[in-house]
Amino acid sequence: MSVTTTPWRATVAMAAGIASYDRRAQNKAKVLASAWNVLDPIATMLAYYFLLVKVFGFREEGFILFLFLSITVHKFAMQGLGRGSSTFIRYKSLVVNGTLPNKAVAVYASLIEMLMDLGFGLLIFFLSALAMGWRPTEHIALFPVLLMGLVTFAAGCIYLLSCIAVYWRDLTNLVQMATRVLLFACPVLYSIDRFKDNEGALAVFMLNPLACYYHMLRGVVLEERWPEPTYVVTAAAFTVGLLVVGRFVFWRLEGRIGKYW
Amino acid sequence: MSAETTRSEGDAVVVEDLWLFYPMLVRRRQNSAVRLRCLMLDLLGRRSGNEENPEGDFFPALRGVSFSLKKGEIVGLLGPNGAGKSTLLRVLSGVERPDRGRVRIDGAVGSLLSLGVGIKPQLSGRENILLSSRLRGVPRDRVDDYVKEVIDLCDIGEFVDAPVESYSSGMRARLGFAVATRFEPDVLLLDEVIGAGDAAFKARTGNLLEHLRDSNRTVVVATHQDDFILSNCDRAIFLNRGRIEMFAEAEEALAAYREYSSAQVEKHSAAIGPVATETEPGPSPQPAPQPEPHSGPTPEPEAMQPVTDPDWHAPSEAWQDAEAKRGTIRKLTPYAGWRDEAASWRVGFVLGAGDRDQMLSAFIGRRLDPDRAGGVALGVGDLRSGELGDALDVLVLPEVRGLDADAAASIVRFMTSGGVLVLGPDSARRPAEMNARTEEMVDYGLGVLGDADPAGVFTRAWFTEPRIAHPSGSFEGLETIELGRTDSNAITGSVLRTRQGAYTLATARVLERGSRESLGAAGVLAAMRVGEGLVIRSGFDLDPRVGLVAGLMERLLDPEVCSYLRIAPLDGIGVPAASPAVRVASGTDPVRVRVHVSPVAFEGGRASLVSDDELRDRIIRAASLGAREIVVSVKEGSALVPGIGIETYQWIDTERDVLRACETIGRELGVAVIPGIDCFSEHHPGEPSRPTAFIADTPEALHATRRQADAGCTSVEAFAASGERIMASAHTYAARERVERVVRALVEERRVEGMHLASFRFGNDAGGHLVHELSAKRAARSLRQNATDVEICQRHLGGLFKRLKEVAGSARVGVESLSEMGYGFGADVVTGGPAIRKCPPATVLRTLLERHLAFAREAGVGDAFELLVDTRHRTIDELVERVELARAVGYRRVMLTGEGVLVSASDSDLARLRRAFGHGAMPPVREAARA
């Protein structure tokens, strides 16, 4: 039940405000505070670089950039799962008091926080890439489009999981497990091209929209390759489907979750 | 099925046939299944409850609620807990969607449904206001004005820039209310937030609501504050079990609710049944005096009968005379004027808002009406504002739940201004930090007279004396007697009968027609206030540590029925000069009166060190009361004193933060004085008071202190050789240097004859686990720095000892009781409390004893160095072991303190102990106890 109608722009501004102050509250007791937004992706990349390149000796050409981009977008996608299951736990106080005009604002706030992290991550990535000699090609024009698709996919995740997690608390644990599994099940540390001769494996990857997104994103940024139609259709279908299902579930449950807190 | 928002003419809120079902999430195994079932039902859009048969897995929180509210009216929402008030407000605010029915609201809704929600505690008040401006869509150019207006509205002063997590509940209420009302929503919903504020806040709230009414806004307020309903609401809804029982004018609805509450209390009492049926009254060898006539109605015939032990008897006159001659009891001087004096007391009853408090409120409201008793009813919020001492003589606090630091500080102020505080029975659910606060209050002379409190500090306060602590060993039995009765209440007390035939009042309770619900001391006082008085058939032991109880009881005891008042040797009483306990204690010999002087002043809810002159005056004032010892004390517990503790709390986020915070505090305030030196004096009957033990962390520390004493104070040797004298002890860390300076000046003027310096104590109840860890780490660090005395005062130690061993990595870690350490028995690390009762192995004990004696000899005070062994919580075997070890090491003298196990020891055990002492006499305290 919404007792006030809020314009879209105002809703986004409200969500941005929540995200901003939530981040500020998180940084309250930290010396480096907002600097962690930059330090975190750098530290993550350095850790993986050290592990995979220095320890395991992955020295293929362009592997470092391949790895950095994969980790950045994968982190965003996994945040979609994690934030999805914890959205109403994070913003419970605002929701319970009726401070928000509608509960979807909490979803938007979560999404905006994720986008802030993604923005910092991509900034670090592109700066690093430029420093390492990477130069953009015309393929990069598709990058925002694909990124938009990934964001929509994450929004669908949050819609779907946020309410269900209030009913069914075990979901949070399952999401944590799924996050760990997906690091290896998705082509983050490796490329789908490794399996181009294995049709069975490729078929399995086609069931994973994240694999499609990662493959396409790396293609347009690093490999000067236009996305294959199959991957585009698969990713779009999953994204739209997830958004529709998630929004429906959210619409059904948002007014009921107060009973289960 | 759904509520929707539409606009209509005239009515601001229209609710039609509202039903809301909640799942029964009570049985753990079914919990997940029910949740999943609900998930599926809600996904499919199926209703989860059945209005026609509202039982089963879903219960209706709202049952067909229908009403409409006009614009410009303030409506109260009344009802017992669980009636559905909060649920209704959540539905109105849109947080929950009803299962059936419609809600139509004309305009924007603002809500404040609970304290703290909607507010980010990590952020400051100002930042939260800024956040609210974003949520409300305030234009950027208007934000500054908005913030200023809200700050003016909430009126929390400089605290607006402090983190909200450090706010009291009243301040949160102010902030939340200001944010919620600033926008003047068309419909404002408030749930139980009024009660958290003080009187000024309530008045301001009333004005704001009046303004909203004038602006044609509608307000719905759920509250248990009857006076608020009466003074502010136009109409009220009495909600019960999800149904509207009445929707009428505020007075009418409130009357209906009060009638319902009263009926519930009576029903509850009747269901419990009379206590008297449990034990048949037996013949009494000494007829119980009758209560004095009273003006109230005659007790009903079925009223409770006295529960009396047939063997119960008063001590003989001869025994009383003998004891009075020895000075261990004080024959009561008839004091017939207490009734008149009591009539002029200004009594405040603090009524809370919880279930139990609600019942107590109803009980007091009906049976012991504060107005009739000449008292005033206060909310917990009232404690935080104003000076209670100016308005009240006696404060009755049925329960301490719900008190925060502000309220506790206010109570402490009240105590230090001479007020009498009476606590009722307490709940074991009290959180740990509350324990710490009440412990602090106890230090100020808090009187506690309530039911046993097995988990809390009150037990320690009241039952500290070993005579009382071990009824099975020291007493012949615990009995329940009727102390008296009011028009409808029987007042009973539990007494412990000693071997000497004296009786110790352990608890007192007021029973309403046999109800087990107890009002404890609150009830006793209330009964007295209504003119009934108490009937006590014999004399009573009183532990003056609970000093105010002594003062109170002196007034309560009727000389016609109570022949004597026994004052146990004092170990510490409250500071207030006006305290009856001081009068009682100072006129009773032989007792050692130790007066605690606080170097802290409270202003505006914050604590600060007083000026040197003020501290000097306080010490002299305490001395003029007849105190033999003066302790200037800012205990660890004062970390909870507003101004010190609050700041500490703000920093406690992680263990590292705790360490950093304490180091910061240490630098700023001079905390953590290690190594230090501790002196203890012990008064022995028939002997002058003098220091008997010295503990130093290092020989250097002992030398340094001795040089200090030689330079400015009476020398240590002079201490040992002197007669009775006043000594001041600086047992503090925050104010240590200043206290030392002031006391030294007093010593030089011969106003005070000596000074003791106490060592820093680790441990704090305030911070729970984090502080445990902190204590362990700092203790370990001190050990590594060759400190040998690290004292950890901590209850509920849990795994601290283990942790300490891990961190210290040293076999030197011993475990001893706090009390033993407190009396000078050295251990490298001493922990206390019931959680750990282990004793260090003999080898560790011996090492420690040798080390301490070596220190003392190096400092030239070896002859004055004695070992004091606390007999409490010790077995005879443990005492024998210590005595033998001490003699073997070369201690000149070993003293036993307390009575402890000695009282109930068999003759053979005593003989064994005597043999351990060798040619030395048994400690005087033992002789006194056995006499």
Side-chain angles (χ1 to χ4, degrees):
Chain A
M1 182 177 71
S2 173
V3 291
T4 53
T5 55
T6 311
W8 170 248
R9 181 176 294 181
T11 303
V12 172
M14 192 181 295
I18 294 171
S20 160
Y21 278 89
D22 193 55
R23 186 57 62 96
R24 191 178 297 189
Q26 287 175 34
N27 290 333
K28 199 69 181 175
K30 298 174 185 171
V31 176
L32 295 177
S34 301
W36 281 115
N37 294 328
V38 177
L39 292 177
D40 186 52
I42 293 175
T44 306
M45 290 179 185
L46 288 177
Y48 277 100
Y49 171 75
F50 181 79
L51 182 71
L52 297 176
V53 177
K54 295 294 182 185
V55 176
F56 291 109
F58 285 67
R59 299 188 187 282
E60 297 169 28
E61 187 182 356
F63 179 73
I64 296 173
L65 290 179
F66 170 91
L67 184 66
F68 284 5
L69 180 62
S70 304
I71 289 170
T72 304
V73 292
H74 181 69
K75 186 180 170 190
F76 174 78
M78 293 304 102
Q79 275 187 331
L81 290 176
R83 290 287 173 87
S85 60
S86 64
T87 290
F88 285 123
I89 297 167
R90 287 168 68 87
Y91 299 118
K92 178 183 173 185
S93 67
L94 293 172
V95 176
V96 168
N97 195 36
T99 307
L100 303 179
N102 60 68
K103 296 185 181 68
V105 175
V107 173
Y108 305 147
S110 278
L111 201 56
I112 288 172
E113 276 202 73
M114 289 166 53
L115 286 172
M116 288 162 65
D117 289 338
L118 178 65
F120 282 116
L122 288 176
L123 180 67
I124 300 296
F125 165 75
F126 281 117
L127 289 177
S128 308
L130 288 169
M132 294 169 71
W134 171 84
R135 294 294 176 266
T137 64
E138 68 274 14
H139 299 87
I140 199 74
L142 270 185
F143 182 74
V145 178
L146 293 173
L147 209 56
M148 189 75 77
L150 190 62
V151 171
T152 310
F153 183 85
C157 280
I158 300 176
Y159 272 128
L160 180 66
L161 300 179
S162 57
C163 286
I164 295 178
V166 177
Y167 280 80
W168 190 39
R169 303 295 169 86
D170 296 337
L171 187 64
T172 312
N173 300 74
L174 286 177
V175 164
Q176 287 175 2
M177 288 171 57
T179 304
R180 284 192 286 270
V181 171
L182 283 172
L183 175 64
F184 302 101
C186 294
V188 178
L189 308 177
Y190 52 87
S191 170
I192 291 181
D193 293 338
R194 283 174 176 261
F195 305 93
K196 56 187 175 186
D197 297 332
N198 186 339
E199 291 187 0
L202 281 177
V204 171
F205 277 120
M206 292 302 289
L207 294 175
N208 179 358
L210 291 177
C212 298
Y213 273 116
Y214 298 169
H215 184 70
M216 290 189 292
L217 283 167
R218 284 193 300 243
V220 299
V221 175
L222 301 174
E223 298 164 7
E224 302 178 15
R225 185 182 64 204
W226 296 106
E228 296 89 333
T230 319
Y231 289 109
V232 173
V233 171
T234 303
F238 270 103
T239 301
V240 172
L242 186 63
L243 186 65
V244 169
V245 171
R247 194 68 185 87
F248 173 80
V249 169
F250 188 84
W251 170 67
R252 281 287 200 192
L253 302 183
E254 64 165 328
R256 310 283 186 188
I257 55 177
K259 299 175 184 178
Y260 303 94
W261 266 324
Chain B
M1 283 291 292
S2 65
E4 60 186 44
T5 304
T6 59
R7 291 180 179 275
S8 62
E9 295 296 324
D11 290 332
V13 178
V14 177
V15 174
E16 296 172 0
D17 194 24
L18 211 60
W19 285 80
L20 185 69
F21 291 88
Y22 272 165
M24 297 286 284
L25 300 174
V26 289
R27 283 166 288 185
R28 188 184 295 176
R29 286 190 177 181
Q30 292 184 358
N31 196 324
S32 299
V34 173
R35 280 172 176 270
L36 283 175
R37 185 179 153 203
C38 293
L39 173 62
M40 295 311 298
L41 288 172
D42 290 340
L43 274 177
L44 296 173
R46 303 266 300 273
R47 286 220 310 272
S48 49
N50 184 348
E51 293 85 351
E52 283 69 37
N53 182 23
E55 301 299 334
D57 287 339
F58 299 91
F59 75 92
L62 296 175
R63 305 176 186 229
V65 171
S66 300
F67 61 86
S68 61
L69 308 180
K70 298 185 183 69
K71 290 180 179 174
E73 74 172 341
I74 301 175
V75 178
L77 212 49
L78 296 166
N81 291 347
K85 303 187 294 295
S86 299
T87 304
L88 178 58
L89 290 178
R90 281 205 297 273
V91 172
L92 293 181
S93 69
V95 172
E96 289 195 36
R97 186 187 302 161
D99 289 301
R100 180 172 143 181
R102 297 163 66 86
V103 176
R104 290 184 293 159
I105 295 179
D106 186 9
V109 178
S111 54
L112 186 57
L113 301 186
S114 176
L115 287 180
V117 296
I119 288 176
K120 286 209 164 290
Q122 303 96 329
L123 299 177
S124 69
R126 187 185 300 277
E127 288 170 321
N128 271 286
I129 297 170
L130 283 167
L131 172 60
S132 77
S133 75
R134 296 288 292 270
L135 295 177
R136 311 279 181 178
V138 178
R140 288 183 184 276
D141 57 343
R142 286 272 302 126
V143 167
D144 289 343
D145 293 338
Y146 168 80
V147 171
K148 186 174 182 306
E149 288 168 15
V150 174
I151 289 174
D152 290 344
L153 203 58
C154 62
D155 191 24
I156 53 176
E158 61 190 12
F159 290 103
V160 74
D161 289 313
V164 170
E165 62 196 352
S166 68
Y167 285 14
S168 68
S169 52
M171 291 162 72
R172 286 187 189 214
R174 282 169 179 256
L175 179 63
F177 190 78
V179 169
T181 56
R182 165 61 190 81
F183 276 92
E184 300 189 0
D186 298 298
V187 177
L188 177 63
L189 310 172
L190 302 173
D191 189 7
E192 288 290 358
V193 292
I194 308 296
D198 55 23
F201 174 69
K202 284 177 190 166
R204 184 183 287 245
T205 306
N207 292 336
L208 268 172
L209 296 186
E210 194 68 31
H211 170 70
L212 289 174
R213 175 164 37 204
D214 295 343
S215 311
N216 215 27
R217 264 66 173 187
T218 305
V219 182
V220 184
V221 188
T223 181
H224 290 286
Q225 306 257 320
D226 294 356
D227 55 341
F228 184 87
I229 295 279
L230 285 175
S231 56
N232 292 288
C233 296
D234 304 305
R235 294 193 290 169
I237 297 173
F238 170 23
L239 206 59
N240 187 24
R241 293 177 62 81
R243 286 198 184 89
I244 291 183
E245 298 285 344
M246 179 178 284
F247 185 17
E249 296 299 315
E251 295 82 358
E252 196 179 345
L254 185 59
Y257 173 51
R258 280 178 169 169
E259 188 177 346
Y260 168 81
S261 298
S262 303
Q264 288 301 304
V265 171
E266 286 186 2
K267 187 178 169 186
H268 176 78
S269 302
I272 291 174
V275 168
T277 55
E278 287 187 353
T279 310
E280 290 299 324
S284 172
Q286 182 176 311
Q290 296 300 309
E292 291 192 3
H294 54 75
S295 57
T298 306
E300 297 181 15
E302 69 274 20
M304 188 180 137
Q305 297 298 314
V307 183
T308 311
D309 186 329
D311 296 330
W312 192 74
H313 63 279
S316 66
E317 276 293 324
W319 181 87
Q320 292 181 39
D321 288 341
E323 290 296 303
K325 200 172 180 179
R326 293 173 57 86
T328 55
I329 72 165
R330 177 185 176 202
K331 294 200 76 173
L332 194 69
T333 305
Y335 178 52
W338 68 265
R339 217 175 279 275
D340 294 334
E341 189 176 330
S344 64
W345 289 0
R346 296 164 298 174
V347 184
F349 296 83
V350 180
L351 309 179
D355 285 346
R356 178 180 168 76
D357 296 337
Q358 197 178 354
M359 190 159 64
L360 287 171
S361 303
F363 178 70
I364 292 174
R366 289 179 61 244
R367 305 297 181 201
L368 300 168
D369 187 349
D371 290 336
R372 186 184 167 200
V376 291
L378 305 170
V380 174
D382 293 328
L383 295 178
R384 302 189 192 96
S385 66
E387 292 298 326
L388 294 172
D390 295 338
L392 300 174
D393 298 310
V394 179
L395 182 66
V396 181
L397 200 61
E399 294 214 18
V400 296
R401 274 192 300 143
L403 293 188
D404 56 18
D406 288 342
S410 179
I411 292 172
V412 170
R413 281 201 301 276
F414 174 69
M415 302 293 300
T416 53
S417 65
V420 175
L421 178 67
V422 180
L423 287 185
D426 196 37
S427 162
R429 288 174 292 175
R430 200 174 50 250
E433 63 268 26
M434 194 60 236
N435 277 341
R437 287 185 194 123
T438 49
E439 187 173 22
E440 183 188 341
M441 288 194 284
V442 168
D443 283 341
Y444 279 92
L446 178 72
V448 180
L449 189 62
D451 281 348
D453 180 16
V457 66
F458 292 160
T459 302
R460 296 203 327 171
W462 176 247
F463 290 136
T464 302
E465 273 297 300
R467 284 188 303 280
I468 306 173
H470 304 293
S472 58
S474 307
F475 289 83
E476 292 191 343
L478 179 69
E479 302 156 6
T480 300
I481 61 167
E482 179 180 298
L483 301 174
R485 63 176 72 233
T486 67
D487 55 350
S488 58
N489 308 309
I491 304 169
T492 67
S494 298
V495 294
L496 300 168
R497 187 149 54 89
T498 66
R499 289 180 175 180
Q500 294 88 355
Y503 292 83
T504 296
L505 184 64
T507 65
R509 59 174 60 187
V510 172
L511 304 176
E512 185 194 16
R513 291 184 185 176
S515 161
R516 289 189 187 279
E517 290 304 324
S518 167
L519 286 176
V524 173
L525 187 71
M528 191 186 65
R529 292 290 304 134
V530 297
E532 301 303 327
L534 288 174
V535 178
I536 301 173
R537 296 184 299 176
S538 183
F540 277 89
D541 281 358
L542 293 172
D543 185 351
R545 248 176 293 224
V546 195
L548 292 164
V549 174
L552 182 65
M553 291 305 293
E554 188 190 30
R555 298 186 182 196
L556 289 173
L557 294 174
D558 189 326
E560 293 179 7
V561 293
C562 181
S563 55
Y564 70 92
L565 174 68
R566 177 178 169 134
I567 306 290
L570 285 178
D571 193 45
I573 60 171
V575 68
S579 165
V582 173
R583 293 207 305 273
V584 172
S586 60
T588 309
D589 285 319
V591 290
R592 185 185 64 189
V593 182
R594 174 185 291 172
V595 177
H596 287 254
V597 173
S598 170
V600 174
F602 296 92
E603 289 176 6
R606 297 179 70 85
S608 59
L609 296 180
V610 299
S611 67
D612 289 1
D613 290 342
E614 171 63 21
L615 182 59
R616 172 192 167 90
D617 288 346
R618 288 186 182 192
I619 293 173
I620 292 175
R621 213 160 50 229
S624 69
L625 293 174
R628 269 50 158 205
E629 290 184 16
I630 302 167
V631 178
V632 183
S633 174
V634 179
K635 285 186 61 181
E636 232 104 7
S638 62
L640 283 163
V641 172
I644 299 175
I646 291 300
E647 289 171 10
T648 307
Y649 253 90
Q650 287 172 11
W651 289 327
I652 295 181
D653 283 335
T654 65
E655 183 180 319
R656 185 174 299 173
D657 285 345
V658 175
L659 286 166
R660 191 164 54 237
C662 286
E663 284 168 5
T664 305
I665 294 173
R667 279 196 301 275
E668 293 178 357
L669 302 179
V671 180
V673 184
I674 296 175
I677 184 168
D678 210 341
C679 277
F680 298 93
S681 75
E682 187 70 14
H683 175 76
H684 307 291
E687 293 183 8
S689 177
R690 59 190 180 84
T692 50
F694 301 89
I695 300 173
D697 297 311
T698 62
E700 292 74 20
L702 193 54
H703 279 302
T705 307
R706 188 180 168 217
R707 280 198 299 275
Q708 214 172 42
D710 287 339
C713 313
T714 308
S715 69
V716 176
E717 288 79 1
F719 268 144
S722 68
E724 195 158 324
R725 62 186 63 253
I726 297 169
M727 291 176 287
S729 171
H731 194 137
T732 172
Y733 49 85
R736 183 168 179 141
E737 287 185 7
R738 297 184 53 193
V739 170
E740 282 185 43
R741 190 169 65 242
V742 171
V743 173
R744 189 172 295 123
L746 288 169
V747 168
E748 288 170 355
E749 294 173 20
R750 299 288 174 185
R751 303 291 293 268
V752 173
E753 296 187 42
M755 173 170 63
H756 290 170
L757 302 177
S759 61
F760 175 72
R761 287 182 170 192
F762 283 109
N764 194 328
D765 288 329
H769 173 73
L770 293 176
V771 179
H772 289 187
E773 290 291 301
L774 167 70
S775 301
K777 284 193 171 180
R778 299 197 69 172
R781 195 169 63 190
S782 301
L783 280 175
R784 293 197 188 102
Q785 291 169 352
N786 296 322
T788 56
D789 289 326
V790 180
E791 183 178 353
I792 296 180
C793 319
Q794 184 57 267
R795 296 190 309 277
H796 314 300
L797 285 166
L800 177 59
F801 176 57
K802 185 181 172 190
R803 173 76 177 141
L804 202 51
K805 273 192 164 178
E806 290 171 0
V807 177
S810 165
R812 295 188 306 151
V813 178
V815 184
E816 262 297 338
S817 79
L818 169 65
S819 56
E820 191 159 357
M821 175 63 189
Y823 284 107
F825 191 86
D828 284 75
V829 175
V830 180
T831 63
I836 296 179
R837 288 279 175 79
K838 296 175 184 173
C839 293
T843 51
V844 175
L845 280 176
R846 187 183 183 98
T847 304
L848 296 171
L849 291 175
E850 288 172 346
R851 187 177 301 156
H852 282 273
L853 189 58
F855 289 162
R857 284 175 175 159
E858 283 183 44
V861 293
D863 289 342
F865 202 86
E866 301 173 347
L867 176 67
L868 274 75
V869 179
D870 190 350
T871 59
R872 288 175 289 187
H873 314 302
R874 291 275 168 273
T875 64
I876 288 291
D877 289 340
E878 289 167 353
L879 294 182
V880 168
E881 179 188 32
R882 282 158 176 72
V883 171
E884 289 176 342
L885 270 174
R887 289 189 62 211
V889 167
Y891 277 74
R892 189 181 65 84
R893 193 175 180 194
V894 180
M895 300 290 291
L896 299 184
T897 66
E899 296 173 5
V901 68
L902 300 179
V903 173
S904 56
S906 66
D907 289 341
S908 62
D909 284 341
L910 292 175
R912 203 150 53 90
L913 191 58
R914 280 201 183 90
R915 280 198 297 277
F917 271 95
H919 56 81
M922 285 290 285
V925 66
R926 169 70 186 129
E927 302 306 324
R930 292 294 284 179

